[in-house]
Amino acid sequence: MVKLVCNEYGFECDYVVEGDEDTVVDSFTAHMNEAHGIEYSREAIVQFVQRKRRP
Ligand SMILES: [Zn+2]
């Protein structure tokens, strides 16, 4: 399980996504695109997730 919080990436936004890694990456990528008009690559979001998982 991993959790990404949009406002931790510099947005004034209360979007939070939590779940397995693949779901979170897909959902967060779509959210960035749809809500903020930013096209992050999947790899970039995977990096966010990996940073979160580090203890
Ligand atoms: Zn957002």
Side-chain angles (χ1 to χ4, degrees), residues 3-18:
K3 181 180 178 185
L4 290 181
V5 180
C6 194
N7 74 14
E8 289 181 6
Y9 300 97
F11 300 96
E12 284 186 31
C13 176
D14 59 6
Y15 180 79
V16 176
V17 60
E18 195 171 6

Side-chain angles (χ1 to χ4, degrees), residues 25-50:
V25 168
D26 285 345
S27 301
F28 202 75
T29 304
H31 171 76
M32 279 297 163
N33 197 355
E34 288 160 16
H36 303 296
I38 298 168
E39 287 196 36
Y40 278 110
S41 66
R42 215 173 178 285
E43 289 69 31
I45 309 294
V46 167
Q47 296 245 314
F48 289 173
V49 167
Q50 284 172 349

